[in-house]
Amino acid sequence: MFGYISINKAEMKFKDYDVYHSYYCGLCKVLKECYGRRGQVTLSFDMTFLVILLTGLYEPDTKTEMVRCIAHPMQKHAAKTNEFTEYAAAINMLLSYYKCEDDWADEHRKKAFVAAKLLHSKIKKIEKLYPVKCKVISENLAQISKYETENEQNLDLMSGLFGNIMAEIFAYRHDEWESSLRKIGFFLGKFIYLMDAYDDVEKDIKSGSYNPFRKAYLDDPAFADDCRSLLTLMMSECSREFEQLPILLHAEILRNVLYSGVWSRYTAVTSERLAGKNTHNAADTADGNSTAGRTTNDNPHPDTDNSTTGDQEQ
């Protein structure tokens, strides 16, 4: 469930992209410093958004450094870090670890098992730093896993559990903004869960894995539009709460994500499915025309019984 809370680069100003990228690089830098290479590979857009949101709201002292990295070895680039970067890095590690555990439990992926083992020692340190958040995350993930095993089809229930996780993650402080941050996290979490299910539904059907959209995908001709409406509702609630916050710093970057960037994957998946369906229909049409042609031309003697050949072609 990573990577859905990203920017729409095509709709972003160059200067805003540079700022966004500097926070992304800052998170990457802190992941490496605190958790090594293993931590660095867990880098995600989702936690970059959290850093920028909390930075925009609380406007903490932020350090900007010019650094090099594996991705950009020849040229230095800006990396912004503040108190929220380390927090987001820790949460990023937690979510990555639990995802590896989930992948191993559900699909017995050996890579996930190895990754979870490698991250385990780091997670113990994080659990001591953020015991309440770790408890909320692990309990809700356990509930999700339990209901998936029971093949629970209640979308509101399933997405709400992941919403609870994100609500706890976004509530960084107990202050006047906590309620709004929790609501933003909650509806964003529901969006992520539903978007992940929409993204994976074809793969899950083939593998036999749990997916709450399975029946709707197979039976509902308006599946994509219905999902769009449901996802729009989640983001409408999330964005409405965001607009209640007194955020001026990085506001345009945050709006780019909430109003445009989050839809990038939906648009890509829907387009791919539509293209695949059109290709399949075109192939069926071409095959039907070809068969019709053979039925007419393969029997030059109309009076001869060709029913056996016809049955074989069918």
Side-chain angles (χ1 to χ4, degrees):
M1 298 181 184
F2 287 100
Y4 295 115
I5 313 305
S6 60
I7 59 169
N8 182 345
K9 187 177 178 181
E11 298 296 325
M12 183 174 276
K13 297 176 182 177
F14 288 119
K15 65 179 181 66
D16 286 339
Y17 176 75
D18 289 341
V19 171
Y20 176 85
H21 192 263
S22 67
Y23 281 104
Y24 182 76
C25 291
L27 180 56
C28 181
K29 177 177 177 291
V30 170
L31 280 166
K32 182 182 177 183
E33 291 173 351
C34 295
Y35 308 107
R37 296 286 187 190
R38 297 170 192 171
Q40 199 173 20
V41 298
T42 69
L43 178 66
S44 75
F45 294 128
D46 310 74
M47 290 301 106
T48 304
F49 173 79
L50 178 60
V51 174
I52 298 174
L53 175 67
L54 294 176
T55 299
L57 178 60
Y58 293 110
E59 299 189 7
D61 291 335
T62 299
K63 182 179 180 181
T64 303
E65 299 175 84
M66 300 304 295
V67 300
R68 287 191 177 93
C69 65
I70 294 176
H72 307 90
M74 303 304 293
Q75 187 175 0
K76 287 188 175 183
H77 53 281
K80 291 183 180 293
T81 56
N82 55 44
E83 62 179 290
F84 303 122
T85 313
E86 190 167 332
Y87 170 69
I91 297 299
N92 201 85
M93 289 289 291
L94 275 176
L95 294 177
S96 298
Y97 173 74
Y98 289 131
K99 184 179 188 303
C100 289
E101 281 199 326
D102 185 59
D103 286 346
W104 168 247
D106 290 349
E107 302 174 34
H108 284 80
R109 295 183 188 175
K110 291 183 179 179
K111 287 184 178 179
F113 176 78
V114 172
K117 285 292 184 183
L118 291 173
L119 294 175
H120 188 261
S121 62
K122 309 291 186 183
I123 298 307
K124 288 300 179 184
K125 296 178 182 178
I126 296 172
E127 288 174 342
K128 291 179 180 179
L129 288 172
Y130 306 105
V132 174
K133 298 195 180 300
C134 290
K135 186 173 184 289
V136 171
I137 292 171
S138 61
E139 287 179 350
N140 279 273
L141 285 176
Q143 280 293 101
I144 290 173
S145 181
K146 175 179 178 291
Y147 285 131
E148 286 180 350
T149 302
E150 297 170 357
N151 198 32
E152 175 61 59
Q153 297 299 300
N154 187 324
L155 286 173
D156 189 54
L157 171 64
M158 297 301 290
S159 62
L161 288 169
F162 197 74
N164 293 340
I165 291 172
M166 295 299 287
E168 184 62 34
I169 289 170
F170 273 58
Y172 181 75
R173 293 175 180 167
H174 298 300
D175 59 14
E176 66 268 37
W177 311 123
E178 180 182 359
S179 177
S180 290
L181 288 171
R182 282 188 180 276
K183 289 177 183 177
I184 291 171
F186 179 74
F187 288 109
L188 202 56
K190 293 188 77 171
F191 176 91
I192 291 171
Y193 185 88
L194 295 170
M195 186 60 236
D196 185 64
Y198 179 78
D199 192 356
D200 290 345
V201 64
E202 291 177 317
K203 180 189 73 174
D204 289 339
I205 289 172
K206 289 179 182 178
S207 67
S209 300
Y210 170 84
N211 192 299
F213 282 139
R214 177 188 178 92
K215 188 176 187 303
Y217 177 81
L218 294 173
D219 300 342
D220 185 2
F223 171 69
D225 290 337
D226 290 346
C227 285
R228 174 86 188 199
S229 297
L230 185 59
L231 292 167
T232 299
L233 178 62
M234 298 304 105
M235 289 313 302
S236 295
E237 294 295 330
C238 177
S239 300
R240 180 182 295 113
E241 204 61 41
F242 166 76
E243 296 297 347
Q244 302 301 311
L245 295 174
I247 295 179
L248 296 177
L249 181 65
H250 308 323
E252 292 307 308
I253 296 174
L254 295 167
R255 289 192 177 100
N256 175 280
V257 174
L258 293 174
Y259 295 120
S260 182
V262 295
W263 294 104
S264 298
R265 187 58 189 157
Y266 173 88
T267 301
V269 170
T270 305
S271 298
E272 287 168 8
R273 285 179 185 157
L274 182 59
K277 188 176 293 185
N278 289 340
T279 300
H280 180 72
N281 291 340
D284 286 347
T285 302
D287 184 63
N289 290 338
S290 176
T291 302
R294 288 198 302 274
T295 303
T296 303
N297 298 328
D298 286 353
N299 186 8
H301 304 290
D303 295 333
T304 303
D305 184 3
N306 201 28
S307 59
T308 303
T309 305
D311 289 341
Q312 290 173 340
E313 286 187 6
Q314 292 174 357

